[in-house]
């Protein structure tokens, strides 16, 4: 059913269609609308049977989900940013125990400085925690990915994180096609846990493993994710047949067949990039786009194939490894025939707008061979230089962020 | 004779009762009396005696010692005849103890029950010559317990009209038709329990004044304090530090005494005259030994017969006990003599000697954990009201009822004696205590016991003792019992020695008796194939039998697993192996390796295979599915030999 | 109190069992059919109070729920000594997640049971004092406030024993630990304000809060039984002496717990909906010194220079407990 609705609410409705049994909620922007929506559905009785638990922290949210999942219930929660970090210990734990929890991460920057707007630093910080990470490009894909995520998680006994850009998707009202309950039920079988806490058949879960087997246990977690590389495209195809649209899968390629330059990115920014590429194509530049939906497991083979014969690869990232550079880029280089031709563009940090102009400019620079390997898009170099100068001059230079904002001035600080 | 002893025993047991250190001793005496009275009331009978032994025993004297011996001898299967010089059975219990302390119907009932066992009692049958009596019987043995009925006299210058009697006369007279006539004012001379009995009897016979004259102080008085107290309550007067110098018709003269620095009373030369209608001497009794006059080589010292530790006189077959042998003269001792003598007589008649069981160690108060006992003060026995006490011969001290007797019995701390409170079972942090069920107590599972000692510390009654774990060098057989029990039972005792260091102290006592059958042996069958020896290991291998197993196995290993030789362990019959058993395997493995030999294991049952895997023994040992395959790995000769044997 | 002591028996009802008692009045631990939820073979130290407390409590809970029980366990001694794979001492469904999230994990399990309509299955969360009063405090408070149907059991041995005896917020004043060493002018743990978790639990007005020790088995079992009669959040705080951390002879584990109660150091009481409903009276009162002296963690109070001032402060705290909870028979 087509409807015009907020991204968060679309996700909430999709999650509800997946018949979750335990939902743990703790508010943090920009995820909050999702659990609010679910809470209302549970409270009204629309979603039943389901336990909606208002916890006292994200750490508790994930922990309650762990308990519920270990006891055989389909568990769901959502978070963002600081919340994801606050639950980090439990996030690793859920993966280590192989509990098929599904969690939405409404991507948002990590403080300090505190910032509520979108980038990918939160999800990227947890990229190696053992969860499957899927990135949605649109609200339609976001809601579709949740339906696929439950099936994937439960089949493999691996938790799945569905990442969607905070505000840009979560708060955007768009038209989505909401599936029916019957469609979802046909696609998503009931939860059959591989391990469950049951007085009839007592087991001990989460006990210690020593050096004699720790490697094997961890390796098996890796194997599960490798299995996911086969399941994800297969079930995306099944989804296409059942629901009539392309959603999910490992990657989405756009005009890459003959491209000399391919821009790689994750999430909602792909739309802007595609528009930019369309414009550049019209100007005769052979540029293509590769959207990565499945960031973990990393689809090495699919990406290598998609990058094909491209001469240059631009990875546009909304997070970066401080002291290194691009995080996604580092992954892309492992799947590229010529790692030196992979360029990193860091963009959109803390919600900074990514404009077509800026994108076109950097794409052309890369194409022309004038761009450095690592670019921070639209960086105010003068303000940075002044900050560094201040630090050289004054020992007690004060909080960097404050001084920098005074320097750039209120007007320029506003979003363009 | 619990109904008798529950009344007249001076219960020295209560004096050593540990409960006295908590609140007050358990009223063992009162419980005994309750049980004795119940037995009479309900007509309880003894079990049938043992089959007739063909031996006849003559008991001379139907006092407590003679009755006791007769009872035990009869139970042991001997034919017993008691000859009593007097007209009634009971001896001093009848003729020495007043009926207000021991009602005669109680005594009669107790005697009746013994006679009901088949004991023959001949009254008014004085034995004048014991050897003749034995020959006439004929009797195979005799137990003499004629008591001490001859009152000692002291010389007191007396007027002819003075009425001087002795205590034996008075108390014996109480059993006849004619009660003794003592007058209004009675003086009793002496300081023992008999003096008290006479004074109290005099009171009951109507004396206005009953006065005891005693030459020492109350502290020195041999009479029991509670009896003195009861006498004083009843109005008996006691003149301390006084001797009778002279007795007249209606008065006596006494001399005051004073204690010298050694505590010996010395005359002061100070005199006093007291009114007295009669004087009763209670100065002790002598034994009438005339029946022994013709017995040769008899040792008599201080008017009593000397007996050996087995209660036998120097004449074979003639035993003696009670007041006529050197000992404390109480009913308690007399009854004990009877029991002891009966056991020796029984053994002597059967051509052996009776060995008393080993005394278990004393469970001192310090070994108890008294926290677990509820506060419960001693039950006070009701006492007859004073008016009735001094006007009748009704029993003064009354009995406990069923409720109070039960209460009193349950005040027992059961020192050193496991009463299955389940504490050890409950407090073990390692669930290493096995509860065997009602009456069977507990065992310890040494595979899981870590030796913390909580069970021993929390045992209320001190029935568990920690002993150091013995760690022996490999190849040596187990030495000495490791499983011991503390005070209170039939088990063996730990060798003396200091407590081991706690960390080593793993094995400790069990409170349930361990039967030899429980410490099963593991017999090792072995068969040889060329240079390989196949050893069968079967059953369960655990803490209980691992020492024996190791000792046996080591012999095989030392003899066969050296210089290229192999020992193959055929485990097809092994159901379970504990960590203690695995340790034996490991020690055998090391031994074989040191000797340049090999140990191979074969035919593991699934359970044992799993244990091997968990403990990684499958990585240490070469494990083969069958004995044949193990032998093939040992040497081709061995395999060939095995095949040949199989064909044969 | 939770049970009526039966008088007139050799050992009253103080022992684990008593063959003179009717079956129904005997302790769970005295029966051969007890569940041994925490079974033999675990790797706890000699005389471990926590191993004992856990078996007591979980066996009682198993009895009360007819075996329909799931446990969540915090990181710590209990978790480590009971399980390393492939072995487990647990005879019940058991999950360990993290150090600080046990209450929340239990909430999740309870929610799962509720949503699946299996309300007969009850949930226990358990952890040490570190996992309860420190790192797990937030999750525990949340569980209390929501009144989730979980019995949380804290096995309090007064420190982080698993990591080598460091101080927790439950470490008593003056006690020596690896992070409150017995050196300097004020050796041992400072006299802080304390963190009275049972009182904090009561402040949440949850249906049931109780304290217990391993020295009073029947009381402990009665409290677990009572706790299982309620739905909602319940809290049981059990004092479990630690021979390693406290430095007492391993045989004295139960004795130390008893002395903690009999000296007033550790008040044993129960409360319903935030109000104290009963306290276990002191039977034979002892001065705190008798409790302190056998423990090496207090050795610096006795030598080289006796610290009577410190002992007096500890005695004052005990006296305050005695007054506050009316622990003496004569106290109104």
């Amino acid at each position: 059913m087509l409807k015009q609705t907020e991204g968060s609410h679309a996700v909430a409705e999709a999650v509800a269609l997946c018949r979750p049994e335990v939902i743990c909620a703790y508010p943090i922007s920009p995820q909050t609308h999702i659990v609010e929506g679910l809470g209302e559905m549970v409270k009204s009785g629309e979603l039943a049977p389901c336990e909606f638990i208002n916890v006292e922290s994200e750490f508790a949210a994930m922990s309650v989900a762990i308990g519920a999942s270990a006891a055989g219930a389909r568990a769901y929660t959502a978070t963002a940013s600081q919340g994801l970090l606050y639950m980090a210990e439990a996030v690793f734990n859920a993966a280590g125990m192989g509990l098929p929890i599904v969690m939405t991460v409404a991507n948002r920057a990590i403080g300090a400085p505190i910032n509520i707007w979108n980038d990918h630093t939160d999800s990227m910080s947890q990229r190696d925690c053992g969860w499957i990470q899927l990135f949605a490009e649109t609200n339609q894909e976001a809601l579709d990915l949740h339906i696929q995520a439950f099936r994937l998680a439960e089949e493999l006994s691996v938790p799945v994180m569905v990442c969607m850009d905070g505000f840009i998707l979560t708060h955007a009202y768009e038209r989505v096609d909401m599936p029916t309950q019957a469609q979802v039920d046909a696609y998503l079988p009931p939860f059959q846990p591989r391990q469950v806490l049951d007085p009839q058949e007592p087991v001990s879960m989460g006990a210690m493993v020593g050096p004699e087997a720790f490697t094997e246990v961890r390796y098996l977690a890796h194997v599960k994710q490798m299995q996911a590389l086969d399941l994800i495209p297969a079930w995306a195809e099944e989804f296409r047949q059942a629901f009539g649209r392309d959603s999910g899968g490992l990657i989405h390629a756009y005009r890459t067949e003959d491209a000399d330059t391919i821009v790689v990115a994750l999430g909602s920014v792909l739309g802007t990039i595609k528009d930019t590429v369309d414009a550049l194509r019209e100007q005769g530049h052979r540029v293509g786009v590769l959207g990565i939906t499945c960031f973990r497991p990393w689809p090495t083979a699919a990406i290598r194939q998609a990058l094909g014969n491209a001469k240059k690869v631009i990875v546009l990232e909304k997070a970066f490894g401080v002291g290194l550079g691009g995080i996604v880029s580092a992954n892309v280089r492992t799947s590229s025939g010529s790692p030196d031709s992979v360029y990193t563009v860091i963009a959109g940090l803390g919600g900074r707008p990514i404009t077509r102009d800026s994108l076109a400019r950097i794409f052309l620079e890369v194409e022309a061979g004038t761009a450095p390997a690592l670019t921070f898009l639209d960086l105010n170099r003068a303000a940075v230089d002044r900050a560094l100068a201040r630090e050289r001059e004054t020992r007690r230079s004060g909080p960097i962020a404050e001084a920098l904002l005074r320097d750039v001035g209120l007007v320029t600080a506003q979003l363009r | 004779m619990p109904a008798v002893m529950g009344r007249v025993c001076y219960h020295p047991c209560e004096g050593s009762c540990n409960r006295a250190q908590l609140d007050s001793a358990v009223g063992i005496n009162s419980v005994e009396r309750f049980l004795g009275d119940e037995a009479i009331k309900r007509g309880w009978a003894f079990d049938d005696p043992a089959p007739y032994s063909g031996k006849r025993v003559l008991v001379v004297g139907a006092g407590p010692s003679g009755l006791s011996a007769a009872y035990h001898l009869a139970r042991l299967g001997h034919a017993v005849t008691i000859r009593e010089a007097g007209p009634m059975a009971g001896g001093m219990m009848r003729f020495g103890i007043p009926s207000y302390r021991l009602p005669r119907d109680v005594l009669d009932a107790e005697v009746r029950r013994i006679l009901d066992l088949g004991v023959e009692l001949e009254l008014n049958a004085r034995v004048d010559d014991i050897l003749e009596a034995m020959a006439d019987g004929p009797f195979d043995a005799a137990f003499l317990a004629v008591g001490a009925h001859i009152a000692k006299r002291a010389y007191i210058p007396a007027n002819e009209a003075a009425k001087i009697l002795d205590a034996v006369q008075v108390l014996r007279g109480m059993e006849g038709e004619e009660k003794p006539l003592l007058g209004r004012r009675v003086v009793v001379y002496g300081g023992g329990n008999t003096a008290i009995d006479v004074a109290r009897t005099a009171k009951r016979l109507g004396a206005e004044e009953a006065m005891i004259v005693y030459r020492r102080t109350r502290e020195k008085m041999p009479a029991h304090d509670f009896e003195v107290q009861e006498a004083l309550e009843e109005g008996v007067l006691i003149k301390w530090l006084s001797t009778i110098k002279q007795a007249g018709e209606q008065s006596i003269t006494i001399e005051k005494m004073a204690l010298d620095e050694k505590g010996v009373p010395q005359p002061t030369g100070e005199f006093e005259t007291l009114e007295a209608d009669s004087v009763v001497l209670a100065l002790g009794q002598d034994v009438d030994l005339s029946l022994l006059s013709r017995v040769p080589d008899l040792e008599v010292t201080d008017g009593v017969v000397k007996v050996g530790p087995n209660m036998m006189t120097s004449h074979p077959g003639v035993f003696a006990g009670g007041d006529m042998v050197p000992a404390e003269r109480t009913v308690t001792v007399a009854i004990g003599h009877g029991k002891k003598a009966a056991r020796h007589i029984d053994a002597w008649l059967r051509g052996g000697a009776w060995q008393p069981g080993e005394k278990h160690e004393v469970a001192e108060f310090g070994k108890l954990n008294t926290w677990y006992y509820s506060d419960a003060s001693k039950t006070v026995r009701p006492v007859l009201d004073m008016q009735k006490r001094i006007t009748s011969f009704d029993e003064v001290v009354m009995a406990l009822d069923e409720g109070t007797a039960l209460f009193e019995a349950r005040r027992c701390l059961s020192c050193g004696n496991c009463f299955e409170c389940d504490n050890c079972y409950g407090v073990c942090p390692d669930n290493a205590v096995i509860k065997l069920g009602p009456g069977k107590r507990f065992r310890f599972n040494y595979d899981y016991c870590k030796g913390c000692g909580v069970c021993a510390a929390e045992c209320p009654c001190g029935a568990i003792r920690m002993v150091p774990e013995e760690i022996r060098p490999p190849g040596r057989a187990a030495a000495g019992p490791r499983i011991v029990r503390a005070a209170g039972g039939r088990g063996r005792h730990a060798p003396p020695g200091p407590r081991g260091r706690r960390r080593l102290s793993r094995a400790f006592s069990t409170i349930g008796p361990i039967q030899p059958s429980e410490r099963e042996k593991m017999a090792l069958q072995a068969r040889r194939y060329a240079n390989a020896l196949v050893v069968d290991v079967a059953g369960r291998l655990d803490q209980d039998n691992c020492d024996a197993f190791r000792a046996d196995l080591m012999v095989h290993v030392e003899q066969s697993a050296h210089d290229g030789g192999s020992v193959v362990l055929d485990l097809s019959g092994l159901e379970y192996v504990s960590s203690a058993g695995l340790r034996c395997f490991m020690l055998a493995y090391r031994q074989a390796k040191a000797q340049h030999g090999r140990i191979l294991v074969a035919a593991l049952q699934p359970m044992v295979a799993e244990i091997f895997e968990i403990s990684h023994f499958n990585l240490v040992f070469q494990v083969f599915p069958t004995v044949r395959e193990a032998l093939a790995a040992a040497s081709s000769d061995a395999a060939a030999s095995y095949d040949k044997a199989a064909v044969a | 109190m939770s049970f009526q002591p039966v008088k007139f028996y050799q050992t009253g009802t103080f022992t684990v069992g008593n063959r003179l008692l009717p079956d129904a009045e005997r302790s769970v631990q005295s029966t051969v059919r007890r569940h041994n939820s925490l079974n033999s073979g675990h790797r706890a130290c000699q005389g471990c109070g926590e191993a004992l407390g856990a078996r007591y409590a979980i066996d009682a809970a198993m009895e009360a729920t007819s075996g329909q029980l799931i446990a969540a366990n915090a990181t710590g001694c209990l978790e480590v000594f009971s399980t390393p794979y492939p072995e487990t001492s647990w005879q019940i469904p058991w999950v360990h997640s993290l150090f600080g999230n046990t209450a929340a994990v239990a909430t999740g399990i309870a929610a799962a049971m509720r949503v699946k309509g299996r309300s007969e299955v009850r949930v226990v969360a358990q952890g040490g004092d570190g996992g309860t009063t420190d790192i797990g405090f937030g999750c525990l408070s949340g569980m209390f406030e929501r009144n989730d149907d979980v019995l949380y059991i804290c096995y309090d041995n007064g420190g982080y024993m698993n990591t080598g005896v460091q101080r927790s917020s439950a470490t008593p004043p003056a006690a020596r630990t690896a992070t409150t060493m017995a050196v300097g002018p004020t050796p041992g743990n400072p006299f802080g304000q304390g963190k009275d978790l049972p009182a904090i639990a009561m402040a949440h007005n949850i249906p049931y809060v109780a304290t217990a020790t391993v020295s009073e088995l029947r009381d402990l079992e009665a409290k677990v039984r009572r706790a299982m009669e309620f739905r909602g959040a319940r809290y049981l705080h059990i004092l479990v002496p630690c021979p390693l951390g406290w430095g007492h002879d391993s045989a004295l584990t139960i004795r130390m717990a008893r002395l903690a109660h009999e000296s007033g150091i550790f008040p044993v009481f129960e409360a319903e909906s935030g109000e104290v409903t009963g306290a276990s009276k002191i039977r034979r009162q002892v001065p705190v010194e008798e409790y302190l002296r056998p423990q090496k963690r207090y050795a610096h109070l006795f030598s080289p220079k006796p610290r009577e001032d410190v002992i007096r402060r500890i005695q004052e705290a005990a006296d305050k407990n005695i007054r506050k909870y009316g622990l003496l028979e004569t106290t109104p």
Side-chain angles (χ1 to χ4, degrees), chain C:
Chain C
M1 233 16 242
S2 316
F3 68 92
Q4 187 66 41
V6 176
K7 298 278 186 192
F8 310 143
Y9 290 103
Q10 272 167 330
T11 55
T13 47
F14 303 118
T15 49
V16 169
N18 190 323
R19 68 207 155 89
L20 302 174
L21 281 177
D23 263 348
E25 287 172 39
R26 297 187 194 187
S27 69
V28 173
Q29 285 302 312
S30 73
T31 65
V32 288
R33 5 165 269 280
R34 76 184 189 201
H35 289 83
N36 281 333
S37 312
L38 178 65
N39 213 347
S40 301
H42 58 68
R43 301 155 197 224
C45 304
Q46 279 185 319
C48 175
E50 190 174 33
L52 203 51
R55 195 186 73 224
Y56 284 178
I58 302 300
D59 276 3
M62 283 289 277
E63 188 75 14
T65 59
S66 305
Q68 300 297 303
L69 193 71
I70 297 175
N73 209 119
T75 309
C77 284
L78 182 60
E79 167 258 326
V80 170
F81 77 61
S82 65
T83 50
Y85 279 139
E87 287 140 12
T88 180
S89 280
W90 294 102
Q91 307 300 302
I92 59 169
W94 177 94
V95 61
H96 160 249
S97 173
L98 297 169
F99 201 178
N101 70 348
T102 315
V105 171
T107 291
I109 299 168
M113 291 303 120
R114 203 159 53 240
V115 78
K116 289 179 177 299
R118 298 187 63 186
S119 58
E120 79 284 4
V121 179
R122 308 298 298 276
V123 184
V124 165
Q126 52 184 354
D129 51 285
T132 304
T133 66
D134 287 346
I135 197 170
F137 185 62
C139 284
L140 182 62
S141 176
M143 188 274 277
F144 285 164
E145 177 276 322
R146 289 185 302 269
N147 202 24
D148 294 326
D149 188 22
V150 172
L151 168 61
Y152 190 102
I153 304 173
C154 169
Y155 304 106
D156 176 8
N157 55 20
Y160 292 92
M161 304 316 187
N162 190 37
T163 44
V165 195
Q166 292 85 16
R167 175 204 186 272
S168 79
S169 58
T171 300
R176 177 202 70 190
T177 70
T179 47
T180 54
M181 286 73 85
V183 294
T186 54
N189 195 32
F191 279 79
Q193 292 307 110
K195 191 165 181 178
D196 185 349
L197 214 73
I200 294 169
M202 284 164 66
H204 287 76
N205 280 314
I206 57 175
Y208 188 72
V209 173
T211 65
T213 78
V214 288
S215 70
E216 286 175 287
L217 168 67
R218 284 158 190 276
D219 173 73
L220 192 160
E221 287 186 351
K223 282 167 176 169
V224 173
R225 227 174 9 252
R226 180 79 183 124
M228 283 305 181
E229 287 168 9
F230 292 95
R231 288 281 171 177
R234 291 138 291 145
Y235 179 72
L236 181 58
H237 191 104
I238 306 176
L239 184 73
V240 291
C242 169
L244 176 80
W246 295 16
H248 62 76
D249 190 299
S250 65
L252 299 186
T253 297
I254 289 178
R255 183 177 161 78
M256 294 321 301
R258 182 182 304 133
L259 291 174
H261 173 228
E262 295 294 289
S263 62
I265 292 256
F266 186 85
V268 175
F269 64 93
E270 59 185 341
E272 292 179 13
S273 302
E275 282 174 26
V276 174
T277 54
S280 170
K281 304 286 182 193
I282 289 173
R283 196 144 63 89
R284 297 175 192 166
Q285 196 186 2
V286 295
V288 294
E289 197 179 326
E290 205 168 308
Y291 165 75
L292 302 173
R293 205 177 264 281
Q295 302 182 41
K296 289 203 184 75
R297 63 173 173 163
Y298 294 116
H300 55 275
L301 300 185
F302 300 99
S303 76
K305 191 167 64 102
R307 291 297 302 266
E308 275 152 26
D309 54 329
V310 178
I311 296 171
R312 198 177 315 117
R313 280 187 79 176
I314 298 172
Q315 183 67 57
E316 279 163 12
D319 292 345
K320 190 177 168 193
N321 282 335
I322 291 171
R323 279 197 307 278
K324 182 174 173 189
Y325 293 100
L327 299 181
L328 289 178
E329 292 289 354
T330 50
T331 318

Side-chain angles (χ1 to χ4, degrees), chain B residues 61-135:
Chain B
S65 203
L67 287 167
S68 163
Y71 159 72
H72 285 285
L73 286 164
R75 300 276 326 258
L76 291 163
H78 307 296
V80 184
T81 301
I82 306 177
R83 288 199 185 143
E84 166 60 44
M88 282 180 275
M92 273 298 175
M93 294 186 289
R94 188 181 299 277
F95 299 112
I97 295 172
S99 62
Y100 61 84
R101 281 181 57 208
L102 176 57
R104 298 306 183 238
D105 55 337
V106 171
L107 176 60
D108 292 342
E110 296 269 61
V111 172
R112 183 77 258 148
R113 193 166 46 218
I114 292 171
L115 297 183
D116 286 348
L117 273 174
V119 171
E120 207 176 302
L121 173 64
E122 298 173 14
L123 294 171
N124 301 311
R126 185 182 165 86
V127 174
D128 293 316
D129 182 333
I130 181 60
L131 296 183
E132 194 182 283
M134 283 179 75

Side-chain angles (χ1 to χ4, degrees), chain B residues 133-186:
Chain B
M134 283 179 75
D136 287 352
F139 293 101
D140 301 290
F143 178 62
L144 313 182
V146 297
H149 291 272
I150 305 169
K152 285 185 182 165
R153 304 295 292 225
Y155 174 70
I156 297 172
N159 181 317
E160 266 184 31
K163 188 164 190 182
I164 298 183
L165 303 97
D166 66 60
V168 176
Q169 245 178 310
V170 172
L171 294 174
R172 183 185 294 267
M174 292 302 298
E175 295 306 304
E177 294 292 311
E178 300 274 313
K179 306 295 177 217
L181 294 169
L182 298 174
R184 284 194 304 119
R185 290 174 299 247
V186 182

Side-chain angles (χ1 to χ4, degrees), chain A residues 197-393:
Chain A
L197 295 168
D198 182 358
Q200 265 59 55
E201 214 178 313
V203 290
S204 291
M205 290 171 65
M208 179 180 272
V209 172
E212 71 278 9
F214 197 77
T215 304
E216 286 71 20
V217 173
R218 298 307 301 151
Y219 176 74
L220 283 168
H222 179 67
V223 168
K224 293 258 174 135
Q225 292 227 348
M226 293 302 104
Q227 290 171 349
L229 288 177
D230 295 333
L231 288 183
I232 290 168
W235 286 350
E237 175 55 24
E238 227 180 272
F239 188 89
R240 193 184 62 75
Q241 285 170 13
F243 296 83
R245 59 181 171 272
D246 274 324
S247 265
L250 299 173
I251 52 172
H252 293 299
Y254 180 75
R255 302 181 84 167
T256 55
E257 301 78 20
D258 60 341
D260 293 329
T261 303
I262 295 180
V263 183
V264 179
L266 295 75
S268 61
V269 72
L270 284 165
T272 315
I273 295 172
K274 284 176 191 169
D275 285 352
T276 311
V277 163
D278 285 345
L280 290 174
R281 280 266 178 187
E282 279 170 25
Q283 294 164 25
H285 300 282
R286 296 209 293 190
V287 191
V289 185
L290 180 64
I292 296 175
T293 309
C294 173
F295 181 66
R296 281 292 179 275
W298 178 254
T300 308
I303 290 173
R304 175 166 289 146
Q305 194 188 5
L307 293 178
N309 299 320
K311 296 189 182 72
K312 282 174 177 162
V313 175
I314 300 168
V315 182
L316 187 112
E317 308 194 39
K318 286 187 172 182
F320 77 105
V322 180
L324 167 73
I327 298 165
V328 183
S329 316
N331 288 267
V332 170
R333 285 190 185 104
T334 66
S335 316
S336 160
S338 53
D340 290 347
S341 62
V342 176
Y343 290 77
T344 304
V345 177
I346 310 296
L349 295 185
R352 175 164 297 189
I354 302 172
T355 61
R356 276 185 288 176
D357 286 353
S358 299
L359 288 175
R361 190 170 61 247
I362 188 67
F363 293 168
L364 292 175
E365 280 175 23
V366 170
E367 191 184 58
T370 57
L374 173 63
T375 304
F376 284 79
L377 195 67
D378 298 337
L379 181 75
N380 186 339
R381 174 63 67 182
V384 169
D385 287 344
R386 283 195 295 274
L388 290 172
R390 266 195 305 280
E391 293 211 332
R392 279 194 301 275
E393 285 154 17

Side-chain angles (χ1 to χ4, degrees), chain A residues 77-96:
Chain A
T77 189
T79 191
S81 182
Q82 315 296 137
L84 183 61
L85 293 206
Y86 193 60
M87 67 165 67
E89 190 191 11
V91 168
F92 271 73
N93 191 253

